[in-house]
Amino acid sequence: MYPQIRIHLSLLSLGIFGIAILALFLGVYQFNESILSIINKAFTNRTAINDSDYYVLFDLRLPRIIMSILVGSGLAVAGTCLQGIFKNPLASPDLIGITSGSILFAAITIVLGGYIKDFVPEIIHYSLLSLMAFVGAICSTVFVYRISSHHQKTNITILLLAGVAISALCGSATGLLTYLSTEEELRNLTFWTLGSIASANWNKILILVTVISISFFFLIGKGKTLNAMMLGEKDAEHLGINVEKTKRQIIVFSALLVGTIVSFTGTIGFVGLIVPYILRLIFKSNYVIILPLSAFLGAILVIVADTISRTLVAPSEIPIGILTSLMGAPVFISILMNYKKSL
């Protein structure tokens, strides 16, 4: 690892820790004693803590902060990897239909869930929405990948076009379900598609930690491979890189990351677009540097957005997807303007 990467990772780690501590103190609920005292008693004398204080701190705020870190890291790394294999700064998980597949299956569950629950075990009724959203992400990814693959080779251009097609198809089906939904279903569907981390809990965190650990094991070390692929797939193959294997791994694990995250939080857009763009401005297109840094910067972005979402209009909450879109739209316009100048 380059010395400069260690320095930047250390600084970003301190940033995450500082923002997380600040987020822990921010909120509508007023504790009966200091947060530091509650944390100290949690290790020494649990029974001395007020039940409400314990619940808000350890079952609401802390899981939400940790989940924000995981969600931001996963989305940012997935976006960075996809931009690397597509060689396109506008590439994101939305582009290949991952998000739209999740939204469609979530909409099916919200609108037609009463019928679906009759055919599934009662034990998974509580988590049916998350499971269906995850299945939707995987199904759309497999469909797009199969269309773009021929003789065990993946055509990136066809994959992008297939992603656009499946996104349009899923979008129209979601629109139909939205039209057919009742007022309560419409509220649930709208809030879910705008994204929220309010449902964070320790079980979801455990699942996310497992998925992210496995995915990062295969993705974080792809920096040199992506740098080589920027030269062209033929040149990368001459350097001894298995290009097809790399593309499969990135697409599969990016879909796994995004599908799992979206199934728990709904749609949180633009994170995978903003983070690599900011890092690319500083470090150019050196994926050896920007890939690990994207995990940390993505975490910071989502923690900040989530803290603002739950405190700006407290006690109400702004869906986090609205805030990330507000952050991402100017960046997206900036990318387009820079691309226009290069023509």
Side-chain angles (χ1 to χ4, degrees):
M1 185 181 289
Y2 299 146
Q4 60 176 320
I5 299 180
R6 292 195 185 97
I7 294 171
H8 291 299
L9 287 178
S10 299
L11 292 173
L12 289 173
S13 298
L14 289 174
I16 292 173
F17 182 76
I19 295 170
I21 294 298
L22 180 63
L24 205 60
F25 282 84
L26 295 175
V28 177
Y29 182 81
Q30 298 297 317
F31 292 95
N32 294 299
E33 54 185 313
S34 71
I35 290 179
L36 294 178
S37 175
I38 297 172
I39 294 173
N40 181 56
K41 288 181 179 178
F43 292 100
T44 58
N45 187 12
R46 162 68 180 87
T47 57
I49 305 174
N50 179 279
D51 288 339
S52 297
D53 289 352
Y54 186 90
Y55 175 74
V56 171
L57 184 61
F58 291 102
D59 292 332
L60 292 181
R61 288 192 190 173
L62 190 58
R64 186 162 181 163
I65 291 167
I66 294 174
M67 194 161 177
S68 297
I69 293 172
L70 297 173
V71 166
S73 296
L75 292 176
V77 168
T80 303
C81 288
L82 290 174
Q83 289 184 14
I85 62 168
F86 291 146
K87 298 187 283 291
N88 188 332
L90 300 179
S92 68
D94 303 341
L95 202 63
I96 60 174
I98 300 175
T99 305
S100 59
S102 285
I103 293 172
L104 173 59
F105 274 60
I108 291 172
T109 308
I110 291 171
V111 179
L112 305 175
Y115 303 101
I116 297 173
K117 287 180 180 179
D118 294 335
F119 299 96
V120 297
E122 188 175 348
I123 194 172
I124 66 171
H125 283 188
Y126 176 74
S127 54
L128 183 61
L129 178 60
S130 297
L131 287 172
M132 287 290 285
F134 176 74
V135 169
I138 298 301
C139 286
S140 60
T141 303
V142 170
F143 183 73
V144 169
Y145 185 75
R146 286 294 183 93
I147 290 176
S148 60
S149 298
H150 184 62
H151 295 311
Q152 296 184 334
K153 289 193 174 183
T154 307
N155 187 305
I156 294 298
T157 302
I158 295 177
L159 188 141
L160 287 171
L161 294 174
V164 172
I166 195 68
S167 295
L169 182 62
C170 290
S172 61
T174 303
L176 178 61
L177 288 168
T178 302
Y179 176 76
L180 297 174
S181 63
T182 64
E183 186 175 344
E184 182 181 354
E185 291 167 349
L186 180 60
R187 280 199 303 269
N188 292 335
L189 183 57
T190 301
F191 190 79
W192 194 88
T193 54
L194 292 175
S196 174
I197 307 183
S199 64
N201 59 50
W202 294 111
N203 290 330
K204 291 180 180 179
I205 287 172
L206 180 61
I207 294 172
L208 270 181
V209 167
T210 303
V211 170
I212 287 175
S213 298
I214 294 171
S215 300
F216 279 17
F217 176 80
F218 288 96
L219 296 179
I220 291 294
K222 296 293 184 186
K224 290 183 179 179
T225 301
L226 290 174
N227 284 346
M229 290 178 66
M230 292 292 289
L231 302 173
E233 293 186 7
K234 292 294 183 183
D235 292 330
E237 287 176 351
H238 291 154
L239 293 172
I241 293 171
N242 189 330
V243 173
E244 289 304 314
K245 181 181 178 180
T246 298
K247 287 192 289 189
R248 280 196 301 270
Q249 285 184 347
I250 288 177
I251 291 169
V252 168
F253 286 108
S254 293
L256 181 62
L257 277 173
V258 177
T260 306
I261 290 169
V262 171
S263 71
F264 289 153
T265 66
T267 307
I268 301 178
F270 284 101
V271 176
L273 181 73
I274 301 171
V275 172
Y277 177 71
I278 293 172
L279 292 173
R280 200 177 290 109
L281 288 176
I282 303 171
F283 302 105
K284 305 303 178 185
S285 292
N286 187 351
Y287 284 93
V288 173
I289 298 176
I290 68 175
L291 196 50
L293 292 184
S294 65
F296 289 78
L297 187 57
I300 290 175
L301 176 65
V302 175
I303 291 177
V304 171
D306 183 59
T307 303
I308 293 172
S309 76
R310 64 183 176 83
T311 58
L312 190 62
V313 292
S316 298
E317 179 177 320
I318 302 172
I320 189 174
I322 293 176
L323 294 177
T324 55
S325 295
L326 284 173
M327 296 176 187
V331 174
F332 192 82
I333 293 170
S334 176
I335 295 172
L336 293 176
M337 295 300 292
N338 289 335
Y339 180 74
K340 179 181 176 182
K341 291 177 182 177
S342 66
L343 293 177

